[in-house]
């Protein structure tokens, strides 16, 4: 699917309650930056072969890097196609009953972030 459609499946998300974001406006961006830095360190070790015991997932990430350059894209823009497709599926399955935008799923402070 990655080569054919450019979709990279999203396996995990982080959810922060709206009440916490209202109370701590920088929280969502801070969490994003923490995960992005962790990913940066991991990808650096992956590229340089400095992982002590690479797993099958690490090997898959190496293959993805040859296709996309980024095995774990963070942020709306690098994932827009797959997020839009997930929204369409959720609407078609009745999981979501009202119109949702991609941006509406994310805290305002994170919408432009890419990591």
């Amino acid at each position: 699917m990655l080569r054919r459609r450019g979709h990279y499946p999203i396996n995990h998300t982080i959810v922060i309650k709206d009440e916490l974001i209202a109370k701590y406006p920088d929280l969502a961006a801070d969490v994003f930056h923490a995960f992005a830095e962790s990913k940066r360190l991991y990808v650096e070790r992956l590229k340089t072969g400095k992982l002590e015991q690479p797993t099958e997932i690490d090997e898959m990430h190496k293959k993805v890097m040859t296709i996309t350059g980024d095995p774990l894209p963070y942020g709306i823009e690098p994932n827009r196609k797959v997020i839009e497709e997930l929204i369409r599926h959720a609407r078609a399955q009745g999981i979501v009953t009202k119109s949702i935008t991609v941006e509406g799923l994310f805290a305002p402070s994170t919408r432009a972030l890419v990591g």
Side-chain angles (χ1 to χ4, degrees), residues 87 90-100:
I87 290 171
R91 291 289 309 268
Q93 295 171 14
I95 297 168
V96 174
T97 57
K98 56 184 173 179
S99 184
I100 297 174

Side-chain angles (χ1 to χ4, degrees), residues 73-88:
Y74 288 5
I76 291 175
E77 286 313 313
N79 293 290
R80 183 173 291 279
K81 287 181 184 180
V82 74
I83 296 168
E84 288 172 345
E85 187 166 320
L86 289 170
I87 290 171
R88 280 193 299 277

Side-chain angles (χ1 to χ4, degrees), residues 4 9 27 29 42 47 73:
R4 196 175 67 232
L27 179 61
Y42 166 72
K47 284 181 181 178

